[in-house]
Amino acid sequence: MNSIFTYFTEIFHAVKSLLTGMKVTGRYFFSPWEIVTQQYPENRKTLKMYDRFKGEVVMPHNGNNEHRCTGCGICETACPNGSIEVIQNKIEMPDGKKKRIIDKHIYHLSMCTFCGLCIKSCPSDALAWGQEFEHAVFDRAKLTKILNKPGSSILKDIAE
Amino acid sequence: MKEVINLPVKNIEEEEYHINMGPQHPSTHGVLRLVVSLQGEIVKSLKPHCGYIHRGIEKMCEKDTYPQIIHLTDRMDYLSAHINNHAVCLLVEKALEVDVPERVKYIRTIVDELNRIASHQLWWCSFGMDMGGLTCFFYGLRDREKILDIFEESFGSRLLHSYYTPGGLMMDIHPNFQKGVKDFIKYFRKKIKDYDDLLTGNIIMQLRTKGVGIISKEDAISYGVTGPSGRASGFACDVRKHHPYGVYDKADFKEILGTAGDTFERYMMRMYEMRESMKILEQLIDNIPAGDYAAKMKAVIKLPAGEYFQRVEAARGELGVYVVSDGNKTPYRMKFRSPNFSNLSALDHISRGVKIADLVAIGGSLDYVIPDIDR
Amino acid sequence: MNFSIYDFTSFNQWIDQFLRSVMSPFWAIAVEMVIIGLAILLFYALVGLFLVYAERKVCAFMQNRVGPNRVGPYGFFQTIADFIKLMLKELITIKNADQLLFNLAPFIIIIASFMAIAAIPFAKGLHAIDFDIGILYVIAVSSLGVVGILLAGWSSNSKYSLIGAMRSGAQIISYELSVGLSLLTIIILAGTMQFSAIVEGQANGWFIFKGHIPAFIAFVVFLISSTAETNRGPFDLAEAESELTAGFHTEYSGIKFAFFFLAEYMNMFIVASIAATVFLGGWMAFHVSGWNGFNHIMDFIPPFVWYIGKTFFVIWIMMWFKWTFPRLRIDQLLTLEWKYLLPINLVNILIMAFVVLMGWHF
């Protein structure tokens, strides 16, 4: 008799546990306002990334096309993957002294692991994180970017 | 004339055959290859073949400076990236005898625990998927998203953060961080009930996991099975409790030990641990002291010559970092004791004599992350 | 009762008489068969496509997702796009596979489900053949599908497929018993195996209400065992994607895979329509004795809508099962059948026989 009792209590508990599970999925089925999917390409206009989002490394320029990079190359040594190359130029100042300035700040996005060491190590705060995250391109060469804009110059107070 | 060939008489019922579970297989969560000898549906023995995602992280560390090593450790156990970073940072700080500010310790502990919950949520959803309950996968990921949003707001990335640096943190936490964590705890306390209703209490799940894949306490110790998997067997191996780092000594939490050591116990350990982690978070989140977010470090970090070892409790077990330094800015030799590698070693022992379906469940309950096994 | 506006019998007779008037009886029957074949084929394809879409949407809503929403309004044409994709895909020839059986297997499966659909009454007079042993015929024909699964697993020359097929063989053969016995319970109550007669018998109340407790138990048992028979979750051991990648159809591609896929959904449709016909009154409207006004309103809903509504309700329950429960193990699956469902079923038949004898049903 006891074994028959256990047989039926087992069935009862099993069915109860199954119904508890079905309650959860059933509740979500009837509450479509809990849907969490983001409609990505449609919400592109309203999609705002967090302000600290690490999309890519950029070099901010001000309105006069001036940046803060001195071309010291500290970011190049700090980068663990060799994704930054700094090409320097030497120019002769009016007073006869020779001075290094940046020619090209080359950034290989394809090699970057977004660790942030370049931005942290930069003594003049020339680099920053960009919010752009749609990096897909058809040509790998397009992932190599020159961060200083053509014709840009270094900000006056940094240069001195 | 017809020739009579006497074939050796084979007992077909005892014949074994092999199947490859992986490197491309839905249940191995990555590129692990298990060569399984089967007799019918029963697993006779099993041979893991590692190395499909070997990237030579230990060797790569030898060319990198200590701050640069951090971003490589992210990529070992990518689900507990912060905790991996923590191990290296603690080691460097220990070697240099740097005192990090109290604020850093608090933030690191909180972020570690958040990371642990996120990792266990992903484990839960993939375990549910291994068992065949596909809905679990989406519920787990939905709730993990909340933590990843907190991470993204504060550290800028979702999976591989590189947030800790030797001596402190990359940047201070976002002003919304504390509120976000508190909201998450409130949200997750509700949702974890769904987890129990959907999977824990389910009779099918209990029948499939109870008494399957038992690791005894002795085996757990001799195979070095740590983390929730080891604690399910009664092996008190919580580094946070026995060798506290961060501010774990100030938080009140229990080290829950199991007895059965089977798949269900390993499952329950992680469910308990998520709740314990939330308890730790609740205690610490309001008490973050003000201060600097990094200690003053030299521009070039050079460890004095010698050997150093530091261990932390990663989401899957004990993570050890061993460094031999010759006094340069790069380590001479770096070795990681990854928890998944040791946990995987017990798989052959515990899965003999079970069915294929059980093997998948056991694999899910050991919760291995393949990049951590291969490094 | 007023069914005349939705009665298809006269329509069928009219077609028959028209054809016989213009051609010899042999050709008339041949043309009728072609018409029925085309109609069922069209219905089959449409229902198959819709069920795939419905399953995606149902599981998406259960999982807090939106589901397909790119192709057409609400992603309604998603399955058609998928179907075109599957048609255009390469048919991979497996090395060392038994080519004949490998190519035959999907057809066996799809023919089995195709044959079963012929006996199902969609509305009054709207069925291809009204067998007097309709239930027996459907059970017999739908279990032919297991031959296709076994052949697919055997001929693929793949271990995953073989394991999946063997599991499926053991599973379907055991669960046939429960399906048959649970239907037998209702046959005792109805006193006939003819589908049209079973439906007519439910004019004053569905069998699930008429037979109260034993009928309800039979319904639950039928639901469980028919879910198992169609190889759907939580009994989808034959494909068990986390264990056997895709089970018996691992090696199939393109349209041959689509056949397996379609047959799975059609089998689900067939068992759901049997459940709806036998337990829930088929195309009969919902009537409560005494409430004449209510009954009259219910009669205005066409029988076909009633039938489809009930069938999709049962299908929805089966989808609900699949997207909630984890998968069973093969030994637990057989334990469930032989230790729980079968004894309960046998006792249930006795109870039902007793209830019918004593006249305790409504």
Side-chain angles (χ1 to χ4, degrees):
Chain A
M1 203 62 213
N2 200 21
S3 63
I4 294 173
F5 182 71
T6 8
Y7 181 84
F8 282 107
T9 42
E10 254 173 40
I11 292 177
F12 177 74
H13 284 301
V15 170
K16 201 178 134 195
S17 79
L18 295 178
L19 288 179
T20 331
M22 284 172 77
K23 210 173 81 190
V24 175
T25 42
R27 196 182 72 229
Y28 283 118
F29 181 78
F30 287 111
S31 41
W33 52 88
E34 289 206 44
I35 285 175
V36 289
T37 315
Q38 284 190 20
Q39 305 283 328
Y40 161 56
E42 281 87 10
N43 72 355
R44 245 169 118 181
K45 292 229 166 59
T46 54
L47 185 67
K48 197 180 170 313
M49 307 309 290
Y50 292 112
D51 48 355
R52 289 186 180 180
F53 178 72
K54 298 175 178 176
E56 60 179 341
V57 176
V58 292
M59 189 182 285
H61 287 58
N62 67 4
N64 302 330
N65 205 9
E66 289 168 329
H67 57 74
R68 300 166 69 89
C69 179
T70 56
C72 61
I74 286 177
C75 52
E76 194 179 343
T77 44
C79 181
N81 313 301
S83 54
I84 292 177
E85 283 174 61
V86 179
I87 298 174
Q88 294 154 337
N89 241 357
K90 285 216 170 83
I91 52 160
E92 201 151 328
M93 298 294 277
D95 53 350
K97 268 190 207 161
K98 280 195 173 168
K99 191 176 178 297
R100 310 174 304 177
I101 61 151
I102 186 155
D103 180 25
K104 276 177 186 165
H105 189 289
I106 301 170
Y107 168 52
H108 300 278
L109 181 58
S110 52
M111 286 199 266
C112 182
T113 52
F114 304 96
C115 63
L117 287 174
C118 49
I119 293 167
K120 189 168 182 278
S121 64
C122 183
S124 53
D125 288 338
L127 296 173
W129 286 116
Q131 306 273 305
E132 183 62 39
F133 64 94
E134 289 158 325
H135 291 311
V137 284
F138 283 104
D139 185 6
R140 192 190 288 184
K142 282 181 188 159
L143 290 174
T144 299
K145 299 178 179 181
I146 298 169
L147 292 187
N148 52 335
K149 287 182 187 157
S152 62
S153 58
I154 185 165
L155 206 68
K156 278 276 148 43
D157 49 336
I158 301 276
E160 276 141 27
Chain B
M1 224 182 101
K2 211 174 167 188
E3 208 174 322
V4 180
I5 305 165
N6 279 323
L7 286 167
V9 181
K10 266 195 210 165
N11 188 350
I12 294 176
E13 292 201 344
E14 282 179 15
E15 206 176 328
E16 286 181 13
Y17 63 102
H18 304 273
I19 61 167
N20 279 315
M21 297 269 260
Q24 300 142 327
H25 190 279
S27 76
T28 50
H29 307 197
V31 281
L32 175 70
R33 178 174 165 216
L34 301 172
V35 180
V36 188
S37 297
L38 293 170
Q39 195 185 81
E41 270 213 36
I42 296 174
V43 177
K44 284 285 145 188
S45 67
L46 172 152
K47 209 177 253 173
H49 286 240
C50 308
Y52 283 88
I53 193 162
H54 177 70
R55 295 146 300 170
I57 283 183
E58 285 171 5
K59 195 72 193 166
M60 280 160 84
C61 288
E62 290 171 19
K63 73 151 183 50
D64 280 351
T65 61
Y66 292 99
Q68 286 177 343
I69 283 170
I70 302 290
H71 95 290
L72 285 173
T73 59
D74 270 351
R75 282 149 179 88
M76 296 194 319
D77 184 352
Y78 52 84
L79 294 176
S80 50
H82 281 303
I83 308 177
N84 296 352
N85 296 352
H86 204 165
V88 179
C89 293
L90 282 175
L91 180 130
V92 174
E93 285 149 17
K94 192 162 86 175
L96 292 176
E97 290 166 1
V98 180
D99 246 353
V100 292
E102 201 70 356
R103 181 178 177 81
V104 174
K105 282 185 186 171
Y106 268 82
I107 293 172
R108 278 181 181 176
T109 311
I110 289 166
V111 174
D112 272 9
E113 288 311 307
L114 276 177
N115 207 168
R116 194 182 313 279
I117 295 176
S119 165
H120 286 340
Q121 281 169 335
L122 194 105
W123 155 82
W124 183 81
C125 61
S126 64
F127 182 76
M129 203 169 65
D130 282 344
M131 303 286 293
L134 289 153
T135 304
C136 306
F137 190 75
F138 292 92
Y139 291 173
L141 284 188
R142 176 196 66 196
D143 301 339
R144 180 168 175 260
E145 203 72 0
K146 304 277 180 214
I147 295 186
L148 295 193
D149 278 346
I150 296 173
F151 283 173
E152 193 184 346
E153 193 176 30
S154 257
F155 326 135
S157 48
R158 300 167 69 80
L159 192 67
L160 307 167
H161 319 272
S162 310
Y163 179 51
Y164 303 163
T165 50
L169 308 165
M170 272 296 201
M171 51 200 140
D172 208 348
I173 47 171
H174 197 272
N176 290 347
F177 180 80
Q178 277 160 298
K179 188 181 165 292
V181 173
K182 274 185 244 170
D183 285 350
F184 166 75
I185 293 170
K186 224 198 249 163
Y187 168 85
F188 192 53
R189 283 225 187 268
K190 261 186 263 162
K191 293 292 178 190
I192 202 165
K193 284 205 187 71
D194 282 359
Y195 290 22
D196 283 339
D197 287 348
L198 195 62
L199 202 58
T200 316
N202 193 299
I203 181 79
I204 301 173
M205 139 84 186
Q206 294 201 352
L207 283 174
R208 273 193 61 178
T209 50
K210 274 185 181 164
V212 169
I214 297 172
I215 312 180
S216 67
K217 190 177 174 182
E218 290 73 32
D219 284 340
I221 292 169
S222 60
Y223 278 105
V225 178
T226 50
S229 312
R231 288 197 283 282
S233 310
F235 173 24
C237 55
D238 198 335
V239 182
R240 294 175 293 172
K241 202 85 189 167
H242 301 287
H243 306 276
Y245 56 95
V247 284
Y248 283 116
D249 44 353
K250 286 176 192 160
D252 171 39
F253 66 103
K254 273 189 286 195
E255 180 190 18
I256 297 158
L257 293 180
T259 44
D262 57 0
T263 309
F264 186 70
E265 200 81 18
R266 286 195 284 278
Y267 173 91
M268 285 315 289
M269 281 306 120
R270 291 192 170 84
M271 298 303 279
Y272 287 139
E273 207 161 274
M274 279 197 256
R275 293 191 164 92
E276 284 302 309
S277 291
M278 279 195 280
K279 230 197 261 171
I280 298 176
L281 286 176
E282 275 172 344
Q283 290 168 33
L284 298 183
I285 191 68
D286 282 326
N287 303 326
I288 303 177
D292 282 339
Y293 63 84
K296 270 260 174 288
M297 299 289 278
K298 282 183 193 137
V300 179
I301 297 171
K302 285 182 182 172
L303 258 57
E307 294 176 23
Y308 306 98
F309 182 75
Q310 174 65 42
R311 53 183 175 176
V312 293
E313 179 78 14
R316 281 157 192 77
E318 183 183 316
L319 174 76
V321 187
Y322 171 72
V323 169
V324 182
S325 171
D326 53 1
N328 272 333
K329 61 178 181 177
T330 59
Y332 174 75
R333 171 85 173 94
M334 191 129 191
K335 168 92 180 90
F336 294 101
R337 185 260 180 222
S338 71
N340 292 296
F341 188 75
S342 313
N343 292 3
L344 179 72
S345 67
L347 186 62
D348 176 39
H349 174 71
I350 58 175
S351 59
R352 290 194 181 201
V354 302
K355 298 208 164 45
I356 308 178
D358 291 334
L359 174 63
V360 175
I362 293 170
S365 73
L366 283 177
D367 188 21
Y368 37 69
V369 168
I370 316 301
D372 194 29
I373 295 171
D374 291 343
R375 293 193 291 287
Chain C
M1 246 163 259
N2 175 23
F3 290 123
S4 57
I5 36 168
Y6 299 123
D7 196 344
F8 283 87
T9 324
S10 55
F11 177 67
N12 294 345
Q13 277 165 359
W14 178 76
I15 291 180
D16 188 46
Q17 275 159 12
F18 172 73
L19 285 171
R20 275 170 202 272
S21 66
V22 293
M23 54 185 83
S24 66
F26 172 78
W27 283 108
I29 288 175
V31 169
E32 278 173 21
M33 283 167 87
V34 169
I35 292 173
I36 291 167
L38 285 177
I40 290 183
L41 196 65
L42 192 70
F43 180 73
Y44 193 97
L46 285 178
V47 168
L49 288 177
F50 179 72
L51 278 180
V52 176
Y53 171 76
E55 163 118 303
R56 287 190 184 172
K57 275 291 187 193
V58 167
C59 86
F61 277 104
M62 283 181 180
Q63 294 166 347
N64 284 358
R65 294 185 289 128
V66 193
N69 66 345
R70 300 278 135 176
V71 190
Y74 300 100
F76 201 76
F77 300 119
Q78 180 68 52
T79 42
I80 293 169
D82 284 347
F83 188 68
I84 292 167
K85 182 203 78 174
L86 281 171
M87 293 239 277
L88 297 176
K89 275 186 105 171
E90 184 192 359
L91 292 172
I92 297 164
T93 324
I94 309 298
K95 214 176 174 185
N96 295 335
D98 190 331
Q99 290 303 331
L100 174 70
L101 297 182
F102 186 72
N103 291 324
L104 192 63
F107 291 98
I108 291 182
I109 288 186
I110 208 149
I111 285 170
S113 66
F114 202 79
M115 280 161 83
I117 217 170
I120 290 166
F122 298 110
K124 191 173 173 67
L126 196 65
H127 44 182
I129 305 171
D130 190 16
F131 285 117
D132 50 359
I133 48 158
I135 289 183
L136 194 65
Y137 168 78
V138 168
I139 292 173
V141 165
S142 62
S143 60
L144 275 181
V146 70
V147 178
I149 292 178
L150 279 172
L151 283 185
W154 172 256
S155 62
S156 295
N157 190 29
S158 158
K159 288 164 195 163
Y160 289 131
S161 305
L162 188 63
I163 298 172
M166 290 303 150
R167 282 179 177 186
S168 155
Q171 176 186 343
I172 291 184
I173 287 167
S174 355
Y175 276 84
E176 281 284 285
L177 276 171
S178 281
V179 171
L181 287 175
S182 56
L183 288 177
L184 204 59
T185 322
I186 295 301
I187 290 168
I188 292 173
L189 184 63
T192 172
M193 290 174 98
Q194 195 172 8
F195 272 122
S196 57
I198 287 176
V199 178
E200 294 290 350
Q202 301 180 65
N204 53 350
W206 302 350
F207 279 151
I208 195 166
F209 301 126
K210 273 175 133 182
H212 48 90
I213 296 165
F216 183 73
I217 292 172
F219 179 66
V220 171
V221 170
F222 180 80
L223 216 55
I224 294 170
S225 49
S226 61
T227 312
E229 215 193 316
T230 49
N231 278 332
R232 280 184 61 78
F235 307 103
D236 56 344
L237 293 112
E239 27 190 294
E241 77 289 323
S242 65
E243 296 149 31
L244 306 173
T245 56
F248 64 92
H249 58 63
T250 308
E251 305 291 343
Y252 282 89
S253 66
I255 194 72
K256 284 190 243 171
F257 167 74
F259 276 6
F260 282 113
F261 203 56
L262 203 59
E264 185 195 324
Y265 283 97
M266 283 319 290
N267 283 330
M268 187 165 80
F269 181 76
I270 288 161
V271 293
S273 46
I274 293 171
T277 308
V278 174
F279 294 96
L280 303 178
W283 42 263
M284 267 315 161
F286 182 72
H287 284 168
V288 182
S289 58
W291 298 11
N292 283 330
F294 177 76
N295 292 352
H296 203 67
I297 294 166
M298 287 289 147
D299 277 341
F300 272 105
I301 301 171
F304 189 72
V305 173
W306 273 110
Y307 162 79
I308 286 287
K310 288 169 190 174
T311 308
F312 276 86
F313 175 70
V314 177
I315 287 175
W316 179 70
I317 291 179
M318 285 166 78
M319 285 174 179
W320 196 4
F321 284 163
K322 167 154 185 170
W323 296 106
T324 308
F325 301 138
R327 188 182 300 117
L328 281 100
R329 205 168 56 203
I330 182 72
D331 57 325
Q332 289 161 356
L333 182 87
L334 298 179
T335 311
L336 173 69
E337 163 64 17
W338 295 101
K339 285 196 183 158
Y340 293 91
L341 293 186
L342 192 63
I344 289 173
N345 228 329
L346 287 170
V347 173
N348 196 32
I349 286 184
L350 281 179
I351 296 173
M352 184 53 119
F354 194 67
V355 165
V356 172
L357 266 181
M358 303 300 283
W360 286 346
H361 59 92
F362 297 111

